[in-house]
Amino acid sequence: MSNVKDFILKATNASHCEEVEVIQSLWSGYGKISRYQLAGAEMNTVIVKNIIFPTQSNHPRGWNTNKSHNRKVKSYQVETAYYTNFNDLCNSACRTPRLISSNAIGEQQVIILEDLDVAGFPVRKSNLTIGQVKVCLKWLANFHATFMGQQPKELWKTGTYWHLDTRPDEFAAMYNTPLKGAAMDIDTLLNNCKHQTLVHGDAKVANFCFSEDLKKVAAVDFQYVGGGCGIKDIAYLMGSCLSENECNIYENELLTYYFNALEIALDETHIDLNFRVLEEEWRMLYSVCWADFTRFLMGWMPTHQKINGYSKLKVEEALNRL
């Protein structure tokens, strides 16, 4: 720990630092995220993501395999690469924590980030109103516009944590269903879409930090950022914060809001593309994204609450498109 503190002091020019809060433990015992109080520095606090690679992981659902471990190791390498090479391209419309420094210290990886609570984003939500979902959709629209056409260098070639190539154990655990039989075709359809951007890859409600008035958000956790069609993030966000009934009722309204925000954001980037063609393609892939994520859930945790009437309807729509 003293080496980590020395690194924090050097990176922040602080005279003293002290861990004052463990915000959360990292998945499967891979370290922790903490808030450090600083003295003698320009900032009063920083957030430190301290990644420690265990000799044996403790996955809550028992997925303790070499594939699982290697995926997690790569995810932290990807996150470091994102903050180092891409994060500065985000503007206030897709706000993220500023990277202060990162370094490998022995067997640990340490990422020091701006404290978003202090920056004006102190509120965390588990459920959202439709208006609050739209705030997150606007963030995603601006993020996707910012990185439209960018190559995911040093990131995941295909973003999202449920991507088929990185989940062979869960795929093998699936029952033989039409969805399992179509999984590779679904994957190919998503990977070969014409309009590619960077996707956040884990755009659940827990990874959005709200302002006090709930009208602005910043996003965190870029372990699974990579290439792909932006609608993947939209399907996943909606599933993370809306009920089955809300998804049914508000699907069209929320998709229309997202595409309107995306068109405005793309206009500001001056990227030359036919927006109507992009919208048509990504709207068609919305149900395919739901099918792709449901494929992961069916292998990982087939009793998951997100496998509901709405997701089954989207799977059926996707299978009919193939």
Side-chain angles (χ1 to χ4, degrees), residues 27-28 30 57-69 71-72 167-174 296-302:
W27 191 251
S28 303
Y30 277 68
S57 62
N58 182 30
H59 194 287
R61 295 218 20 97
W63 298 100
N64 298 318
T65 65
N66 283 335
K67 292 187 186 77
S68 175
H69 172 73
R71 183 178 62 250
K72 292 182 183 71
R167 293 293 183 167
D169 297 328
E170 292 83 354
F171 182 70
M174 284 181 74
F296 161 70
L297 286 181
M298 291 297 290
W300 184 73
M301 187 180 178

Tab-separated table of all heavy atoms in Angstrom, residues 27-28 30 57-69 71-72 167-174 296-302:
chain	number	residue	atom	x	y	z
A	27	TRP	N	-15.130	-6.545	-9.083
A	27	TRP	CA	-15.761	-7.841	-9.342
A	27	TRP	C	-14.773	-8.983	-9.133
A	27	TRP	O	-13.635	-8.929	-9.593
A	27	TRP	CB	-16.286	-7.829	-10.782
A	27	TRP	CG	-17.188	-8.954	-11.169
A	27	TRP	CD1	-16.880	-9.975	-12.001
A	27	TRP	CD2	-18.560	-9.152	-10.790
A	27	TRP	NE1	-17.954	-10.803	-12.164
A	27	TRP	CE2	-19.007	-10.322	-11.422
A	27	TRP	CE3	-19.429	-8.449	-9.951
A	27	TRP	CZ2	-20.305	-10.812	-11.266
A	27	TRP	CZ3	-20.716	-8.936	-9.801
A	27	TRP	CH2	-21.142	-10.098	-10.445
A	28	SER	N	-15.208	-10.011	-8.429
A	28	SER	CA	-14.460	-11.256	-8.225
A	28	SER	C	-13.172	-11.071	-7.432
A	28	SER	O	-12.233	-11.857	-7.577
A	28	SER	CB	-14.135	-11.928	-9.576
A	28	SER	OG	-15.308	-12.179	-10.302
A	30	TYR	N	-10.890	-8.502	-7.467
A	30	TYR	CA	-9.749	-7.981	-8.220
A	30	TYR	C	-9.307	-6.595	-7.743
A	30	TYR	O	-8.697	-5.857	-8.504
A	30	TYR	CB	-10.086	-7.936	-9.713
A	30	TYR	CG	-9.888	-9.278	-10.404
A	30	TYR	CD1	-10.714	-10.356	-10.111
A	30	TYR	CD2	-8.881	-9.467	-11.339
A	30	TYR	CE1	-10.543	-11.579	-10.733
A	30	TYR	CE2	-8.699	-10.684	-11.977
A	30	TYR	CZ	-9.540	-11.744	-11.664
A	30	TYR	OH	-9.357	-12.961	-12.278
A	57	SER	N	-9.444	-16.312	-8.443
A	57	SER	CA	-10.541	-15.360	-8.356
A	57	SER	C	-11.721	-15.976	-7.619
A	57	SER	O	-11.837	-17.192	-7.481
A	57	SER	CB	-10.968	-14.892	-9.755
A	57	SER	OG	-11.435	-15.978	-10.523
A	58	ASN	N	-12.605	-15.115	-7.169
A	58	ASN	CA	-13.764	-15.547	-6.380
A	58	ASN	C	-15.030	-15.052	-7.053
A	58	ASN	O	-15.693	-14.131	-6.574
A	58	ASN	CB	-13.649	-15.011	-4.953
A	58	ASN	CG	-14.801	-15.470	-4.078
A	58	ASN	OD1	-15.352	-16.540	-4.296
A	58	ASN	ND2	-15.163	-14.645	-3.104
A	59	HIS	N	-15.348	-15.635	-8.220
A	59	HIS	CA	-16.516	-15.182	-8.979
A	59	HIS	C	-17.792	-15.573	-8.245
A	59	HIS	O	-17.954	-16.723	-7.830
A	59	HIS	CB	-16.505	-15.792	-10.382
A	59	HIS	CG	-17.446	-15.133	-11.314
A	59	HIS	ND1	-18.820	-15.303	-11.230
A	59	HIS	CD2	-17.244	-14.280	-12.351
A	59	HIS	CE1	-19.408	-14.600	-12.183
A	59	HIS	NE2	-18.484	-13.976	-12.869
A	60	PRO	N	-18.716	-14.627	-8.062
A	60	PRO	CA	-19.935	-14.921	-7.312
A	60	PRO	C	-20.820	-15.975	-7.948
A	60	PRO	O	-21.668	-16.555	-7.289
A	60	PRO	CB	-20.642	-13.565	-7.237
A	60	PRO	CG	-20.055	-12.741	-8.319
A	60	PRO	CD	-18.645	-13.213	-8.473
A	61	ARG	N	-20.652	-16.232	-9.259
A	61	ARG	CA	-21.440	-17.271	-9.904
A	61	ARG	C	-20.605	-18.469	-10.310
A	61	ARG	O	-21.044	-19.325	-11.066
A	61	ARG	CB	-22.176	-16.695	-11.123
A	61	ARG	CG	-23.186	-15.673	-10.715
A	61	ARG	CD	-24.479	-15.670	-11.477
A	61	ARG	NE	-24.807	-16.863	-12.196
A	61	ARG	CZ	-25.609	-17.821	-11.734
A	61	ARG	NH1	-26.118	-17.749	-10.517
A	61	ARG	NH2	-25.892	-18.858	-12.477
A	62	GLY	N	-19.368	-18.529	-9.812
A	62	GLY	CA	-18.549	-19.715	-10.008
A	62	GLY	C	-17.802	-19.798	-11.324
A	62	GLY	O	-17.242	-20.841	-11.650
A	63	TRP	N	-17.771	-18.714	-12.101
A	63	TRP	CA	-17.064	-18.743	-13.395
A	63	TRP	C	-15.573	-18.458	-13.180
A	63	TRP	O	-15.044	-17.451	-13.619
A	63	TRP	CB	-17.672	-17.717	-14.356
A	63	TRP	CG	-19.114	-17.975	-14.678
A	63	TRP	CD1	-20.194	-17.356	-14.134
A	63	TRP	CD2	-19.637	-18.925	-15.612
A	63	TRP	NE1	-21.351	-17.865	-14.674
A	63	TRP	CE2	-21.052	-18.819	-15.585
A	63	TRP	CE3	-19.041	-19.864	-16.473
A	63	TRP	CZ2	-21.876	-19.614	-16.376
A	63	TRP	CZ3	-19.866	-20.647	-17.268
A	63	TRP	CH2	-21.259	-20.528	-17.219
A	64	ASN	N	-14.900	-19.364	-12.478
A	64	ASN	CA	-13.484	-19.158	-12.160
A	64	ASN	C	-12.620	-19.962	-13.134
A	64	ASN	O	-12.122	-21.040	-12.807
A	64	ASN	CB	-13.193	-19.592	-10.713
A	64	ASN	CG	-13.980	-18.766	-9.712
A	64	ASN	OD1	-14.096	-17.562	-9.861
A	64	ASN	ND2	-14.525	-19.412	-8.700
A	65	THR	N	-12.460	-19.460	-14.343
A	65	THR	CA	-11.660	-20.155	-15.356
A	65	THR	C	-10.549	-19.244	-15.831
A	65	THR	O	-10.557	-18.035	-15.591
A	65	THR	CB	-12.543	-20.539	-16.566
A	65	THR	OG1	-12.992	-19.333	-17.207
A	65	THR	CG2	-13.753	-21.367	-16.126
A	66	ASN	N	-9.571	-19.852	-16.529
A	66	ASN	CA	-8.488	-19.042	-17.097
A	66	ASN	C	-9.037	-18.027	-18.087
A	66	ASN	O	-8.549	-16.896	-18.164
A	66	ASN	CB	-7.461	-19.949	-17.785
A	66	ASN	CG	-6.561	-20.647	-16.780
A	66	ASN	OD1	-6.372	-20.163	-15.670
A	66	ASN	ND2	-6.016	-21.792	-17.164
A	67	LYS	N	-10.046	-18.436	-18.851
A	67	LYS	CA	-10.655	-17.502	-19.817
A	67	LYS	C	-11.242	-16.297	-19.085
A	67	LYS	O	-11.085	-15.156	-19.510
A	67	LYS	CB	-11.741	-18.200	-20.627
A	67	LYS	CG	-11.250	-19.281	-21.582
A	67	LYS	CD	-12.391	-19.784	-22.445
A	67	LYS	CE	-11.967	-20.959	-23.317
A	67	LYS	NZ	-11.893	-22.217	-22.547
A	68	SER	N	-11.931	-16.575	-17.983
A	68	SER	CA	-12.528	-15.496	-17.198
A	68	SER	C	-11.451	-14.575	-16.639
A	68	SER	O	-11.576	-13.343	-16.698
A	68	SER	CB	-13.366	-16.097	-16.057
A	68	SER	OG	-13.872	-15.086	-15.219
A	69	HIS	N	-10.396	-15.157	-16.110
A	69	HIS	CA	-9.305	-14.353	-15.545
A	69	HIS	C	-8.635	-13.509	-16.628
A	69	HIS	O	-8.417	-12.303	-16.447
A	69	HIS	CB	-8.272	-15.269	-14.887
A	69	HIS	CG	-7.035	-14.557	-14.447
A	69	HIS	ND1	-7.010	-13.707	-13.350
A	69	HIS	CD2	-5.769	-14.547	-14.964
A	69	HIS	CE1	-5.791	-13.207	-13.207
A	69	HIS	NE2	-5.027	-13.703	-14.170
A	71	ARG	N	-9.829	-12.497	-19.421
A	71	ARG	CA	-10.738	-11.445	-19.887
A	71	ARG	C	-10.703	-10.250	-18.935
A	71	ARG	O	-10.672	-9.096	-19.364
A	71	ARG	CB	-12.161	-11.994	-20.001
A	71	ARG	CG	-13.160	-10.982	-20.551
A	71	ARG	CD	-14.553	-11.581	-20.706
A	71	ARG	NE	-15.113	-12.004	-19.436
A	71	ARG	CZ	-15.296	-13.272	-19.075
A	71	ARG	NH1	-14.966	-14.253	-19.895
A	71	ARG	NH2	-15.817	-13.568	-17.894
A	72	LYS	N	-10.683	-10.530	-17.632
A	72	LYS	CA	-10.643	-9.439	-16.658
A	72	LYS	C	-9.323	-8.683	-16.730
A	72	LYS	O	-9.295	-7.443	-16.660
A	72	LYS	CB	-10.879	-9.984	-15.246
A	72	LYS	CG	-12.282	-10.509	-15.005
A	72	LYS	CD	-12.441	-10.978	-13.576
A	72	LYS	CE	-13.822	-11.585	-13.339
A	72	LYS	NZ	-13.965	-12.897	-14.025
A	167	ARG	N	-16.994	-15.159	-24.412
A	167	ARG	CA	-17.870	-15.882	-23.487
A	167	ARG	C	-18.122	-17.330	-23.921
A	167	ARG	O	-19.271	-17.792	-23.955
A	167	ARG	CB	-19.209	-15.142	-23.373
A	167	ARG	CG	-19.100	-13.775	-22.697
A	167	ARG	CD	-18.735	-13.918	-21.232
A	167	ARG	NE	-18.701	-12.614	-20.546
A	167	ARG	CZ	-18.651	-12.481	-19.230
A	167	ARG	NH1	-18.608	-13.562	-18.455
A	167	ARG	NH2	-18.616	-11.282	-18.677
A	168	PRO	N	-17.064	-18.080	-24.240
A	168	PRO	CA	-17.274	-19.472	-24.675
A	168	PRO	C	-17.815	-20.375	-23.576
A	168	PRO	O	-18.565	-21.316	-23.870
A	168	PRO	CB	-15.875	-19.915	-25.118
A	168	PRO	CG	-14.931	-19.030	-24.343
A	168	PRO	CD	-15.636	-17.713	-24.250
A	169	ASP	N	-17.454	-20.121	-22.322
A	169	ASP	CA	-17.945	-20.964	-21.224
A	169	ASP	C	-19.455	-20.817	-21.062
A	169	ASP	O	-20.182	-21.810	-20.913
A	169	ASP	CB	-17.246	-20.596	-19.907
A	169	ASP	CG	-15.752	-20.836	-19.952
A	169	ASP	OD1	-15.323	-21.772	-20.655
A	169	ASP	OD2	-15.010	-20.073	-19.302
A	170	GLU	N	-19.928	-19.562	-21.101
A	170	GLU	CA	-21.350	-19.321	-20.969
A	170	GLU	C	-22.125	-19.858	-22.180
A	170	GLU	O	-23.232	-20.380	-22.033
A	170	GLU	CB	-21.617	-17.814	-20.805
A	170	GLU	CG	-21.130	-17.239	-19.491
A	170	GLU	CD	-19.635	-16.885	-19.490
A	170	GLU	OE1	-18.940	-17.189	-20.486
A	170	GLU	OE2	-19.180	-16.305	-18.500
A	171	PHE	N	-21.531	-19.738	-23.356
A	171	PHE	CA	-22.174	-20.265	-24.562
A	171	PHE	C	-22.314	-21.782	-24.470
A	171	PHE	O	-23.369	-22.347	-24.801
A	171	PHE	CB	-21.370	-19.881	-25.805
A	171	PHE	CG	-21.980	-20.346	-27.097
A	171	PHE	CD1	-23.148	-19.766	-27.565
A	171	PHE	CD2	-21.398	-21.362	-27.838
A	171	PHE	CE1	-23.736	-20.200	-28.747
A	171	PHE	CE2	-21.975	-21.793	-29.019
A	171	PHE	CZ	-23.141	-21.214	-29.480
A	172	ALA	N	-21.263	-22.442	-23.990
A	172	ALA	CA	-21.304	-23.906	-23.854
A	172	ALA	C	-22.365	-24.341	-22.852
A	172	ALA	O	-22.953	-25.425	-22.978
A	172	ALA	CB	-19.937	-24.422	-23.430
A	173	ALA	N	-22.646	-23.486	-21.859
A	173	ALA	CA	-23.618	-23.829	-20.813
A	173	ALA	C	-25.060	-23.655	-21.264
A	173	ALA	O	-25.978	-24.123	-20.590
A	173	ALA	CB	-23.363	-22.971	-19.574
A	174	MET	N	-25.287	-23.003	-22.397
A	174	MET	CA	-26.649	-22.783	-22.888
A	174	MET	C	-27.311	-24.090	-23.302
A	174	MET	O	-26.663	-25.002	-23.813
A	174	MET	CB	-26.647	-21.858	-24.117
A	174	MET	CG	-26.436	-20.403	-23.857
A	174	MET	SD	-26.503	-19.468	-25.418
A	174	MET	CE	-28.284	-19.508	-25.765
A	296	PHE	N	-26.154	-14.290	-23.891
A	296	PHE	CA	-25.203	-14.332	-22.782
A	296	PHE	C	-25.903	-14.730	-21.483
A	296	PHE	O	-25.438	-15.615	-20.747
A	296	PHE	CB	-24.525	-12.976	-22.623
A	296	PHE	CG	-23.889	-12.768	-21.280
A	296	PHE	CD1	-22.758	-13.475	-20.909
A	296	PHE	CD2	-24.446	-11.884	-20.358
A	296	PHE	CE1	-22.172	-13.304	-19.658
A	296	PHE	CE2	-23.883	-11.704	-19.104
A	296	PHE	CZ	-22.745	-12.419	-18.752
A	297	LEU	N	-27.040	-14.095	-21.188
A	297	LEU	CA	-27.756	-14.382	-19.942
A	297	LEU	C	-28.218	-15.831	-19.875
A	297	LEU	O	-28.176	-16.457	-18.800
A	297	LEU	CB	-28.968	-13.467	-19.799
A	297	LEU	CG	-28.717	-12.000	-19.435
A	297	LEU	CD1	-30.049	-11.270	-19.312
A	297	LEU	CD2	-27.921	-11.863	-18.147
A	298	MET	N	-28.634	-16.399	-20.997
A	298	MET	CA	-29.132	-17.768	-21.008
A	298	MET	C	-28.051	-18.772	-20.623
A	298	MET	O	-28.349	-19.847	-20.106
A	298	MET	CB	-29.695	-18.113	-22.387
A	298	MET	CG	-30.975	-17.377	-22.744
A	298	MET	SD	-32.376	-17.750	-21.650
A	298	MET	CE	-32.722	-19.427	-22.121
A	299	GLY	N	-26.804	-18.415	-20.859
A	299	GLY	CA	-25.705	-19.279	-20.432
A	299	GLY	C	-25.183	-18.943	-19.060
A	299	GLY	O	-24.809	-19.821	-18.285
A	300	TRP	N	-25.185	-17.641	-18.734
A	300	TRP	CA	-24.590	-17.166	-17.476
A	300	TRP	C	-25.530	-17.360	-16.304
A	300	TRP	O	-25.135	-17.813	-15.238
A	300	TRP	CB	-24.213	-15.699	-17.636
A	300	TRP	CG	-23.502	-15.091	-16.477
A	300	TRP	CD1	-22.206	-15.327	-16.100
A	300	TRP	CD2	-24.020	-14.129	-15.550
A	300	TRP	NE1	-21.881	-14.564	-14.996
A	300	TRP	CE2	-22.976	-13.821	-14.632
A	300	TRP	CE3	-25.252	-13.495	-15.404
A	300	TRP	CZ2	-23.147	-12.919	-13.592
A	300	TRP	CZ3	-25.419	-12.586	-14.372
A	300	TRP	CH2	-24.366	-12.308	-13.477
A	301	MET	N	-26.804	-16.983	-16.492
A	301	MET	CA	-27.777	-17.067	-15.403
A	301	MET	C	-29.179	-17.125	-16.013
A	301	MET	O	-29.863	-16.106	-16.122
A	301	MET	CB	-27.640	-15.854	-14.476
A	301	MET	CG	-28.486	-15.930	-13.225
A	301	MET	SD	-28.226	-14.416	-12.220
A	301	MET	CE	-29.360	-14.740	-10.861
A	302	PRO	N	-29.625	-18.318	-16.428
A	302	PRO	CA	-30.887	-18.426	-17.173
A	302	PRO	C	-32.133	-18.047	-16.376
A	302	PRO	O	-33.207	-17.886	-16.969
A	302	PRO	CB	-30.931	-19.907	-17.577
A	302	PRO	CG	-29.955	-20.599	-16.689
A	302	PRO	CD	-28.905	-19.596	-16.342
